[in-house]
Amino acid sequence: MDGDTEHDKVEDVGCHVEDAVTFWAQNVSRCNDLLKLSCALAEACPQANAVFGKPDFSKIYGGCFSEDGCWYRCMVQQVISSEKCQVLYIDYGNSEVLNRSDIVEIPPNLQCPSVAKKYRLWGLQIPTDQNLNMFDVGKKFLSSLVFEKEIKIRHKAKHEDGTVIAQAEYAKIDIEEVVRAGFAEKCTSPGNTKDAEERKADGMQNQHRKIEVSVSTAGKQSEKEASRKTSRNVEETLRNYIGRKMRNLAAKVKALKEVRQTNKNSRFREQLSESIIVVTEGCLTVPCSLEKLQKIWAEYDLAQERIRLCRNVDEIDELIAKRDEVQQNLYSAVEEFILDVAQLPFSERSRTLQELSASLEMVYGRDSEADDSEEAFQQFFKWQSVKVKKLIRVRDNTDTALQILADWFGGILKCFDLMSEASSDLEEVVGNADEILKKAELAICEELDTDLNEPDEAEKGIIMSAYNKVIHNICQEQSMINVIQNRYSASVEFKKQVEEWLNRRPDIKNLLSIKKTMKSLKAELRWKLVEKNNFEESDDYSEFEMMGIKEEIAHLRNRVLQEISKEQEEYEKLTYLVQKWFPELPLLYPEAGILNYMNSGGLLTRSLERDLLDAEPMKELSTKRPLVCSEIQGQKVLLKGYSVDVRSEAKVIERVAKYHRAWDQQKEKSGLLQLLFLLFCKSDPLVYLMVPYYPGASLGALQAVTPLTLEEALKVMKGVAQGLQTLHGANLVHGSLHGNNVFAVNRKRGIVGDFDFTKSEEQRAAASTMVVSTLSLVSPELKMGQPATPASDMYAYGCLLFWLCVQNQEFGIKDDGTPEVDSVVMDDKVKSLLLNLFCCNRLTAEQVLRDDCFLTVDATPVSPQPGEEREPREECNSQETDEKKMPLTEENRANPTQ
């Protein structure tokens, strides 16, 4: 153009193509800038903060490109959802959808202008009637001309969005070949808006550079000059027609090769059709013996349930005989079923179905509607057959047309081969060349349309119905396999158990033998205790002889405890037999107390008595109930006495058992105080609960002597949250959480203490008026008379955490009784957690464990060491309360371990 100057020319490298006339390119002089940016981003982005909330569309961020995992500068174009955004990589021009976690803030020194620029070929546009196939092929064609090529670009104008209107050429190739290849057209209308913008921008640019441009208007051109120009254009068109035609055809052939290679193994949902064959032809059938087995097993379960519910000894023999008869039938059915299942490849089939389901979900997604339509597969195969036939016909036409073209080229080659002796008529060889080229081009275009066209809505419906049906069949068969495998495992166990007890019945001889031995030992121990008491008051008292008596007593106690351990092992065996195979044992042997043991969760023992232990009364803590300290095999324990009658005894045992079962699920990792034994005392109407004793380990005792650091407090309170999660998961509400029944073992691991098992949740909550400092641990809703819930436990938990963190700081109390968290100085993460524990919609224990406060806390469990002291000065009782050290109410000072 007349207005062009050398200053308009730059050399760029193409880096991304948007369509047949639009591309992005980087200036060749900025290669070092790109390298420096890459190094800086690689260093800064991994430690940078992710973008949350509403992103700034005018700001430059760092984005992790999904294909190579490297960081590049980007700008957010669109918010797709709360988790995903579409970004534009400003130094390259490509875009993609990223997770918010992959978009990060970058420092100000990296907020410089983009290296790449967006260019649009001057005077060209995409035809309005261009189809999707031609659009994609045109894009690939321009990419072949500019991608990673050094292009000479002549700036013509600039759009308001920053797009540069330019002319471009590579080597001696004019990039405007896209017009001659048929992928773009020239803008000829003088009223075209884009042309007007280009002319306006061109004029502004030239004025800025103070370049004088002389423009010849159409009205000043002579007819002769116009005629000559038209003539030259016609000659140019005729001269380049064959080359342009062949280049256009070659580009389409190249595109077709790529399409055929890409779709080589995925034509018309072949994966889905193969999956249909797998789920229909390879489906395993249910063994015929399963139905018979399940029927007899139901009869067997019914017979066992009748025995379990029987309370009349006179009826039990008949029920056992009926059960044994059904058991023999079941044994035969089990043997038959095991043989049938052993011959079927269930494991291999299950693995095949899982792999098939996973591969289909990668293509079609996880969300699928259950479809049991019998016609889904037929409709899919019918649609697929039509599509395949059409594709075969189209490909045959393409192959034929290209073969004719290749033969024609072969004839032309021979015709112009001066060394060839064969004579040929040029007119005959050339033939109808235009027709041959046209047919080849039409055949290629038809195949590209067939390959690249997406299924319409009706076709998508057929495909998704077939997919949903496949998934439905997979789930159905997998469910059947699971049922068969579970029944197979149960059958194997049943067969083994029946064969073990085939010619004999379990009895309680071992248990009775242990009890007999224990009775003798206990009698001997009682005599020794009487002897010790009498000798202490004797005039002939001797320290040496007393030491001998005490050693004998200790030896006898250890032997009694050993027998109790054997007794518990025997009870566990009997419990298993009762639950699985012989429910009649408690009724046949009522003297064994099997049901009492089972109902207490294995805690109740009548063999261990409080009188036989060397118990030291804890008088300062025994104002409400007896509380004594003892030692069993080197472990310090506390015995808490509960006064019960016939009705309340069963309720206490039920609550104790429920708590113990919750602990037993995870044991030391449960975060709960372990219950050791539930025992009785012959001298008074009390039931004693034995628990481990941790001197000086309660929060109240620790904070009074050596307060926990923030790190220690978080470790301890993580364990407490675990304990509350265990209780709440078992549908238990603590209702009495305070500083004297929460323990910090070794100042590392928090344990939630037990509560008063004679009271219900509501009674415990009503009695719990514990305060720390001026802060009540009772939640606002409990004060209003509402029942205790896990949320009220979490409020008390929050108060304890707040108390540990504020130390000696003063704080205010709101009208509803909650503390003013914002007025104290503490860690921001802890403060945020506390605010979520004092609100109406409180966090659960499970949510607290996932809070940021506890992410860095060492989660390695520390085994409790009852009686271990951190320092000699911490010999104060873990249950001891001192009004000067920690203000408590009168009620809870009397019974702090509730």
Side-chain angles (χ1 to χ4, degrees), residues 261-293:
Q261 186 63 34
T262 302
N263 296 339
K264 183 177 182 181
N265 298 318
S266 58
R267 275 283 10 108
F268 294 111
R269 316 294 170 173
E270 287 184 9
Q271 181 192 23
L272 186 55
S273 62
E274 291 169 359
S275 301
I276 294 173
I277 295 172
V278 171
V279 299
T280 52
E281 297 181 2
C283 180
L284 295 178
T285 57
V286 178
C288 299
S289 55
L290 178 61
E291 183 178 356
K292 175 184 175 183
L293 176 69

Side-chain angles (χ1 to χ4, degrees), residues 66 97 123 127 230 255 305 422 583 591 614 645 647 689 729 764 879:
S66 60
V97 176
T230 302
E305 186 62 23
E591 69 277 15
D614 186 14
D645 53 26
R647 288 182 300 175
L689 181 64
R764 294 197 300 271
Q879 282 78 18

Side-chain angles (χ1 to χ4, degrees), residues 582-609:
F582 300 101
E584 65 269 22
L585 292 178
L587 190 60
L588 293 177
Y589 307 107
E591 69 277 15
I594 299 173
L595 275 183
N596 289 336
Y597 181 85
M598 293 173 60
N599 291 338
S600 70
L603 287 175
L604 183 62
T605 174
R606 297 187 182 272
S607 300
L608 182 63
E609 301 171 19

Side-chain angles (χ1 to χ4, degrees), residues 379-390:
Q379 292 176 348
F380 174 79
F381 282 125
K382 183 178 179 181
W383 168 81
Q384 187 187 45
S385 176
V386 171
K387 285 290 186 179
V388 170
K389 287 179 181 178
K390 179 180 178 182

Side-chain angles (χ1 to χ4, degrees), residues 618-628 638 640-642 736 738 740 756 759 767-770 877 879-883 886-898:
M618 311 288 284
K619 294 180 181 180
E620 69 278 11
L621 303 176
S622 303
T623 56
K624 289 195 65 176
R625 64 172 52 87
L627 190 66
V628 297
L638 280 180
K640 301 195 295 182
Y642 293 97
S736 185
H738 52 76
N740 287 319
D756 188 346
K759 296 180 179 179
S768 180
T769 53
M770 178 72 75
N877 193 318
Q879 282 78 18
E880 181 180 342
T881 57
D882 187 338
E883 239 172 343
M886 176 175 163
L888 306 174
T889 63
E890 190 66 31
E891 180 179 357
N892 282 282
R893 183 171 68 243
N895 195 9
T897 56
Q898 292 178 5

Side-chain angles (χ1 to χ4, degrees), residues 682-706:
K682 286 190 175 182
S683 60
D684 47 38
L686 295 174
V687 57
Y688 281 91
L689 181 64
M690 184 186 293
V691 297
Y693 181 34
Y694 302 113
S698 71
L699 291 186
L702 284 174
Q703 292 301 98
V705 180
T706 312

